[in-house]
Amino acid sequence: VINKDGCVVAFHDKIHLFDVDLAGGESYRESESVEPGASAVVAATPWGALGLSVCHDLQFAYLYRALAHVGVHFLTVPAAFTKTTGQAHWHVLLRARAIETGAYVIAACQCSSHGEAESYGHSLIIDPWGEILSEGGEEPGVIIADIDPYRVAAARRMIPALTHDREFSISK
């Protein structure tokens, strides 16, 4: 995160690495070249707290819930989702994270080929109710949306799921 003066004020090292074996022989082993981060990161902005994540972190709902519990209003998800996983999971997971946390989700997704993989694209800005406010396509571009930070509090009042957490056990 770079502030208005051009200074880096926060950075996030991806926690969850993309080690997968998809249908058709598509396989990725990010752990062979990347070391995972170990901390969730929150950055202060003039509009509210910003929670940082990267790409495959999106698959782990508990990360976003933890960020929401410490007061995050905005979640960022820069990514290079593959075309295969993007078509199946990108929209639904991002909308779920917005709804689960009552936060805005700002997700930039690369839209090109890199190495052997083709990225999905479809950058999104999603409001706390899960509505897609803006979407990019499969070509480079810029998306924008009007964001009202007060909608975070409104969504969390209507569905106060963050206050309903309960301890539970699992019976087999």
Side-chain angles (χ1 to χ4, degrees), residues 72-93:
V72 164
H73 287 77
F74 310 98
L75 299 163
T76 59
V77 191
F81 256 55
T82 69
K83 193 150 203 136
T84 301
T85 57
Q87 289 171 335
H89 301 148
W90 182 246
H91 285 75
V92 70
L93 287 176

Side-chain angles (χ1 to χ4, degrees), residues 12-165:
H12 171 74
D13 289 322
K14 182 180 192 178
I15 297 170
H16 304 93
L17 302 182
F18 193 58
D19 287 354
V20 301
D21 296 304
L22 304 174
E26 195 176 355
S27 182
Y28 302 93
R29 290 289 174 271
E30 200 168 44
S31 63
E32 292 177 0
S33 60
V34 176
E35 187 154 329
S39 298
V41 177
V42 177
T45 76
W47 309 278
L50 177 72
L52 308 182
S53 67
V54 175
C55 205
H56 191 53
D57 285 337
L58 182 58
Q59 296 277 344
F60 301 87
Y62 58 81
L63 169 62
Y64 298 91
R65 193 158 187 88
L67 290 167
H69 273 295
V70 298
V72 164
H73 287 77
F74 310 98
L75 299 163
T76 59
V77 191
F81 256 55
T82 69
K83 193 150 203 136
T84 301
T85 57
Q87 289 171 335
H89 301 148
W90 182 246
H91 285 75
V92 70
L93 287 176
L94 289 167
R95 291 185 71 208
R97 299 302 161 255
I99 294 164
E100 292 164 348
T101 62
Y104 281 93
V105 174
I106 303 162
C109 189
Q110 183 174 313
C111 58
S112 64
S113 295
H114 51 97
E116 296 178 16
E118 186 177 352
S119 292
Y120 180 59
H122 296 275
S123 297
L124 295 169
I125 301 171
I126 303 169
D127 80 0
W129 198 249
E131 179 184 345
I132 296 173
L133 301 178
S134 188
E135 179 174 356
E138 295 180 8
E139 298 294 326
V142 175
I143 63 172
I144 60 172
D146 289 328
I147 292 177
D148 179 356
Y150 296 105
R151 293 205 57 202
V152 173
R156 290 176 178 172
R157 266 193 317 276
M158 288 187 284
I159 301 180
L162 293 172
T163 66
H164 294 169
D165 285 334

